[in-house]
mmCIF file of all heavy atoms in Angstrom:
data_model
loop_
_atom_site.group_PDB
_atom_site.id
_atom_site.type_symbol
_atom_site.label_atom_id
_atom_site.label_comp_id
_atom_site.label_asym_id
_atom_site.label_seq_id
_atom_site.Cartn_x
_atom_site.Cartn_y
_atom_site.Cartn_z
ATOM 1 N N SER A 131 15.002 27.766 7.726
ATOM 2 C CA SER A 131 15.213 27.931 9.164
ATOM 3 C C SER A 131 14.067 28.656 9.577
ATOM 4 O O SER A 131 13.123 28.931 9.003
ATOM 5 C CB SER A 131 16.559 28.771 9.362
ATOM 6 O OG SER A 131 16.514 29.914 8.718
ATOM 7 N N GLY A 132 14.000 28.995 10.911
ATOM 8 C CA GLY A 132 12.919 29.789 11.539
ATOM 9 C C GLY A 132 11.918 28.900 12.005
ATOM 10 O O GLY A 132 12.098 27.809 12.702
ATOM 11 N N ALA A 133 10.567 29.072 11.662
ATOM 12 C CA ALA A 133 9.521 28.291 12.143
ATOM 13 C C ALA A 133 9.434 26.940 11.462
ATOM 14 O O ALA A 133 9.298 26.943 10.190
ATOM 15 C CB ALA A 133 8.129 29.105 11.902
ATOM 16 N N PRO A 134 9.276 25.967 12.182
ATOM 17 C CA PRO A 134 9.056 24.560 11.605
ATOM 18 C C PRO A 134 7.535 24.511 11.207
ATOM 19 O O PRO A 134 6.749 25.253 11.567
ATOM 20 C CB PRO A 134 9.324 23.601 12.741
ATOM 21 C CG PRO A 134 9.072 24.417 13.937
ATOM 22 C CD PRO A 134 9.424 25.815 13.754
ATOM 23 N N ASN A 135 7.332 23.429 10.342
ATOM 24 C CA ASN A 135 6.003 23.245 9.709
ATOM 25 C C ASN A 135 5.639 21.797 10.193
ATOM 26 O O ASN A 135 5.943 20.833 9.417
ATOM 27 C CB ASN A 135 6.043 23.463 8.232
ATOM 28 C CG ASN A 135 4.822 22.958 7.558
ATOM 29 O OD1 ASN A 135 3.739 23.026 8.117
ATOM 30 N ND2 ASN A 135 5.000 22.270 6.468
ATOM 31 N N PRO A 136 4.922 21.616 11.251
ATOM 32 C CA PRO A 136 4.625 20.312 11.893
ATOM 33 C C PRO A 136 3.835 19.494 10.814
ATOM 34 O O PRO A 136 3.935 18.268 10.714
ATOM 35 C CB PRO A 136 3.853 20.706 13.009
ATOM 36 C CG PRO A 136 4.149 21.930 13.465
ATOM 37 C CD PRO A 136 4.462 22.678 12.232
ATOM 38 N N LYS A 137 3.042 20.130 10.015
ATOM 39 C CA LYS A 137 2.324 19.419 9.104
ATOM 40 C C LYS A 137 3.137 18.728 8.106
ATOM 41 O O LYS A 137 2.759 17.645 7.479
ATOM 42 C CB LYS A 137 1.225 20.257 8.245
ATOM 43 C CG LYS A 137 -0.101 20.423 8.924
ATOM 44 C CD LYS A 137 -0.957 21.322 8.127
ATOM 45 C CE LYS A 137 -2.050 20.533 7.421
ATOM 46 N NZ LYS A 137 -2.979 21.445 6.705
ATOM 47 N N GLY A 138 4.251 19.391 7.732
ATOM 48 C CA GLY A 138 5.253 18.788 6.760
ATOM 49 C C GLY A 138 5.904 17.618 7.316
ATOM 50 O O GLY A 138 6.008 16.435 6.771
ATOM 51 N N LEU A 139 6.335 17.628 8.640
ATOM 52 C CA LEU A 139 6.898 16.582 9.286
ATOM 53 C C LEU A 139 5.838 15.359 9.497
ATOM 54 O O LEU A 139 6.351 14.286 9.467
ATOM 55 C CB LEU A 139 7.381 16.952 10.749
ATOM 56 C CG LEU A 139 8.229 15.994 11.451
ATOM 57 C CD1 LEU A 139 9.619 15.743 10.817
ATOM 58 C CD2 LEU A 139 8.345 16.220 12.936
ATOM 59 N N ASP A 140 4.738 15.686 9.598
ATOM 60 C CA ASP A 140 3.563 14.664 9.789
ATOM 61 C C ASP A 140 3.621 13.623 8.753
ATOM 62 O O ASP A 140 3.316 12.337 8.947
ATOM 63 C CB ASP A 140 2.262 15.105 9.987
ATOM 64 C CG ASP A 140 1.902 15.540 11.300
ATOM 65 O OD1 ASP A 140 2.612 15.218 12.156
ATOM 66 O OD2 ASP A 140 0.909 16.244 11.531
ATOM 67 N N PHE A 141 3.984 13.991 7.538
ATOM 68 C CA PHE A 141 4.014 12.889 6.467
ATOM 69 C C PHE A 141 5.016 11.757 6.890
ATOM 70 O O PHE A 141 4.764 10.680 6.698
ATOM 71 C CB PHE A 141 4.488 13.502 5.019
ATOM 72 C CG PHE A 141 4.797 12.435 4.128
ATOM 73 C CD1 PHE A 141 3.811 11.568 3.693
ATOM 74 C CD2 PHE A 141 6.120 12.266 3.557
ATOM 75 C CE1 PHE A 141 4.204 10.527 2.777
ATOM 76 C CE2 PHE A 141 6.430 11.266 2.826
ATOM 77 C CZ PHE A 141 5.502 10.413 2.383
ATOM 78 N N TYR A 142 6.164 12.318 7.493
ATOM 79 C CA TYR A 142 7.178 11.183 7.840
ATOM 80 C C TYR A 142 6.703 10.512 9.026
ATOM 81 O O TYR A 142 7.144 9.290 9.167
ATOM 82 C CB TYR A 142 8.467 11.983 7.898
ATOM 83 C CG TYR A 142 8.931 12.655 6.748
ATOM 84 C CD1 TYR A 142 8.770 14.011 6.594
ATOM 85 C CD2 TYR A 142 9.228 11.847 5.584
ATOM 86 C CE1 TYR A 142 8.968 14.714 5.317
ATOM 87 C CE2 TYR A 142 9.623 12.447 4.350
ATOM 88 C CZ TYR A 142 9.388 13.855 4.126
ATOM 89 O OH TYR A 142 9.583 14.450 3.009
ATOM 90 N N ASN A 143 5.908 11.070 9.919
ATOM 91 C CA ASN A 143 5.314 10.376 11.072
ATOM 92 C C ASN A 143 4.560 9.259 10.443
ATOM 93 O O ASN A 143 4.485 8.079 11.011
ATOM 94 C CB ASN A 143 4.568 11.238 11.961
ATOM 95 C CG ASN A 143 5.386 11.935 12.949
ATOM 96 O OD1 ASN A 143 6.224 11.406 13.541
ATOM 97 N ND2 ASN A 143 5.072 13.243 13.119
ATOM 98 N N ARG A 144 3.678 9.641 9.509
ATOM 99 C CA ARG A 144 2.828 8.551 8.942
ATOM 100 C C ARG A 144 3.537 7.436 8.252
ATOM 101 O O ARG A 144 3.218 6.216 8.358
ATOM 102 C CB ARG A 144 1.807 9.309 7.934
ATOM 103 C CG ARG A 144 0.884 10.170 8.469
ATOM 104 C CD ARG A 144 -0.245 10.579 7.543
ATOM 105 N NE ARG A 144 0.157 11.379 6.202
ATOM 106 C CZ ARG A 144 0.290 12.615 6.389
ATOM 107 N NH1 ARG A 144 0.026 13.419 7.416
ATOM 108 N NH2 ARG A 144 0.635 13.378 5.204
ATOM 109 N N LEU A 145 4.541 7.816 7.521
ATOM 110 C CA LEU A 145 5.364 6.828 6.741
ATOM 111 C C LEU A 145 6.012 5.898 7.694
ATOM 112 O O LEU A 145 6.054 4.681 7.527
ATOM 113 C CB LEU A 145 6.349 7.620 5.918
ATOM 114 C CG LEU A 145 7.303 6.704 5.054
ATOM 115 C CD1 LEU A 145 6.760 5.781 4.177
ATOM 116 C CD2 LEU A 145 8.472 7.593 4.416
ATOM 117 N N VAL A 146 6.708 6.442 8.816
ATOM 118 C CA VAL A 146 7.424 5.650 9.734
ATOM 119 C C VAL A 146 6.415 4.760 10.461
ATOM 120 O O VAL A 146 6.748 3.520 10.704
ATOM 121 C CB VAL A 146 8.100 6.726 10.875
ATOM 122 C CG1 VAL A 146 8.623 5.897 12.002
ATOM 123 C CG2 VAL A 146 9.246 7.325 10.071
#
Side-chain angles (χ1 to χ4, degrees):
S131 55
N135 170 37
K137 272 183 104 176
L139 188 73
D140 269 349
F141 169 65
Y142 303 102
N143 276 318
R144 294 193 292 277
L145 174 63
V146 164

